[in-house]
Amino acid sequence: MAFTLYSLHHTAVLCTNAIAVLHEERFLCKIGWGADQRVGGFGDDPRIKAQVLNLIRSVRTVMRGQKSVFLCPQK
Amino acid sequence: MNDSNFPLCSLLTYSKKLHLSTLGSPEATTTIELVQMDYTATQSGFRQRKLQPNMRQRNSSMDGSEGSQLFEDTSRAAPGTQAGYSSNQQAGPQAAGFPGQSILSDPMSNLAMAYGSSLASQGREMVDKNLDRFLPISKLKYYFAVDTVYVGKKLGLLVFPYMHENWEVSYQQDTPVAPRFDVNAPDLYIPSMSFITYVLVAGLALGTQNKFSPELLGVQASSALVWLIMEVLAVLLSLYLVTVNTDLTTIDLLAFSGYKYVGMIIGVVAGLMFGRPAYYLSLLWCCAAIFVFMIRTLRLKLLSEAAAEGRLVRGTRNQLRMYLTMSIAAAQPIFMYWLTYHLVR
């Protein structure tokens, strides 16, 4: 498979964009990956799901420049 | 003849080391070899960078050998005995044989040289300042502080890691010891050299299949590099997700991922010399060796203390870490096969 450095860059940009366009309200809250669902004991090591949510959140914050914290709409 | 060379020499003061080899006879050719223009930064505590105009080099050969090195000397040998500086020592005694018309007496070339050297030093400082922001040059120096004995032992360890007992990296007051003094420390010399060798061997192998063209070397190189970068990124991501508190840096991971090229080269060369069965056999041996090597090296870095000593420790975290170590080690043989199977047909 002939990968080039350009294709790597291409892939990175597309993946970052894919993470950035995940909609908080319509999608993430629906599948239980919302911003306020990172529940974990403070003395405990964060679990994998919390780390993934953290990562998604930080990528979106950096890419979109959002400063406000959005909470999932209460049912 | 000497006069015509001086303006040319003044332009070449940009170089880090000026290698002037002349036999002192009028019909001998003066070869000027431009050695490695490096734009690497040195820390503030290191020795000052001094540009070497010709006159300084000719007047004091011994001082010139000290001032012209940009890097801290990481080898054990004293600077005076190194072969690289014999050129300066050669230029010294031969400088005495030059006629009285030196650069000092010619104001125009003197001015040109001073201007050129000041311009060069300004440019170099600007580049160094900007480069240090992206590439941690001083940290990279640690990984290239190797010598022949270390390289030999490490290559032996990569091919036959079964007899080695102590896999711990020794520390010296909180900083890891340079690879020269500890065979367990990761280095970047072997990975980079074996990567380049792999690209060349791949070109050779493709040539035996009548598929070679010069562009193909670049394709092979960039392809292997991309796989390497993706592997390092995947390992970094998984280390982040599992929240392992480890002192493995990115460059360490790069070094560990680069060690598999040694096995790949051995496999491909054996395949070229003795045919496909030899390729499969040697690749199998090297895959097993690199698997054991990675497990034993990463076990000490990723797992907790108790688990690293071999005691069975229950708990999901340790299990996760064990799986992580296993998968990193298992990815190596997969890559080794993936990157070489198209070379030996």
Side-chain angles (χ1 to χ4, degrees), chain A residues 7-23 55-64, chain B residues 233:
Chain A
S7 67
L8 181 70
H9 182 257
H10 209 195
T11 313
V13 168
L14 287 179
C15 281
T16 315
N17 181 56
I19 298 179
V21 299
L22 293 172
H23 198 277
L55 189 63
I56 292 180
R57 201 85 214 293
S58 29
V59 168
R60 295 180 72 245
T61 309
V62 166
M63 288 290 133
R64 301 175 75 160
Chain B
L233 285 178

Side-chain angles (χ1 to χ4, degrees), chain B residues 48 57 60 120 183 210-211 262 289 331:
Chain B
Q48 287 286 67
Q57 196 178 22
S60 54
V183 80
N210 293 325
K211 272 195 244 172
V262 178

Side-chain angles (χ1 to χ4, degrees), chain A residues 1 3-4 8 45 51-52, chain B residues 223 226-227 240 243 317 338:
Chain A
M1 225 193 289
F3 272 138
T4 58
L8 181 70
D45 285 324
Q51 291 287 94
V52 171
Chain B
S223 181
V226 163
W227 281 116
Y240 169 76
T243 56
R317 293 205 43 77
W338 180 264

Side-chain angles (χ1 to χ4, degrees), chain B residues 9-23:
Chain B
C9 292
S10 69
L11 286 173
L12 289 173
T13 57
Y14 205 84
S15 70
K16 163 181 150 188
K17 215 179 352 175
L18 199 57
H19 180 137
L20 255 169
S21 72
T22 165
L23 299 177

Side-chain angles (χ1 to χ4, degrees), chain B residues 241-253:
Chain B
L241 288 182
V242 178
T243 56
V244 174
N245 286 328
T246 177
D247 55 352
L248 274 180
T249 63
T250 315
I251 306 185
D252 279 341
L253 289 174

Side-chain angles (χ1 to χ4, degrees), chain B residues 111-184:
Chain B
L111 191 68
M113 207 154 32
Y115 180 64
S117 62
S118 78
L119 205 62
S121 64
Q122 270 179 17
R124 182 185 296 198
E125 279 177 25
M126 192 164 56
V127 172
D128 286 339
K129 191 164 52 109
N130 286 329
L131 192 67
D132 209 19
R133 263 193 263 156
F134 300 113
L135 282 181
I137 298 285
S138 45
K139 281 194 223 134
L140 275 181
K141 274 193 231 180
Y142 159 81
Y143 289 96
F144 284 98
V146 295
D147 63 347
T148 324
V149 175
Y150 169 83
V151 171
K153 278 201 226 167
K154 193 78 177 193
L155 286 177
L157 208 60
L158 283 170
V159 176
F160 196 78
Y162 309 106
M163 303 290 287
H164 192 72
E165 273 132 17
N166 182 24
W167 290 85
E168 287 201 7
V169 181
S170 43
Y171 283 85
Q172 187 195 14
Q173 295 156 357
D174 271 353
T175 55
V177 166
R180 183 179 306 117
F181 305 112
D182 178 25
V183 80
N184 293 320

